[in-house]
Amino acid sequence: MFGPLEIGLILVIVLLVFGGKKLKSLGSDLGHAIKGFRASMGTEQSADASESPSSEPAEPKPKSAE
């Protein structure tokens, strides 16, 4: 799809547009967001696993005649 020359050119353009300090802060913010997302997904999955399923299975809804 993209060769190393094209990727390098895109990176240079991004660096010129945003600047080094802005890219560093954007990368840091993105890393914190990903860590927070993973942490919330992990706590949600562990909370779902700790809930005990009900002993009675849910009854399916009857289909309406159309």
Side-chain angles (χ1 to χ4, degrees):
M1 182 174 237
F2 290 115
L5 183 62
E6 289 88 2
I7 293 173
L9 183 62
I10 291 170
L11 290 176
V12 168
I13 292 171
V14 168
L15 182 62
L16 290 173
V17 170
F18 290 109
K21 290 184 180 181
K22 185 69 174 178
L23 284 179
K24 185 177 179 182
S25 67
L26 285 173
S28 176
D29 291 343
L30 181 63
H32 288 295
I34 290 172
K35 282 183 184 179
F37 178 75
R38 286 182 180 168
S40 67
M41 291 300 293
T43 57
E44 184 178 313
Q45 288 177 354
S46 65
D48 289 343
S50 66
E51 293 178 3
S52 61
S54 63
S55 59
E56 298 177 15
E59 294 181 19
K61 294 181 182 180
K63 294 182 180 179
S64 61
E66 294 181 16

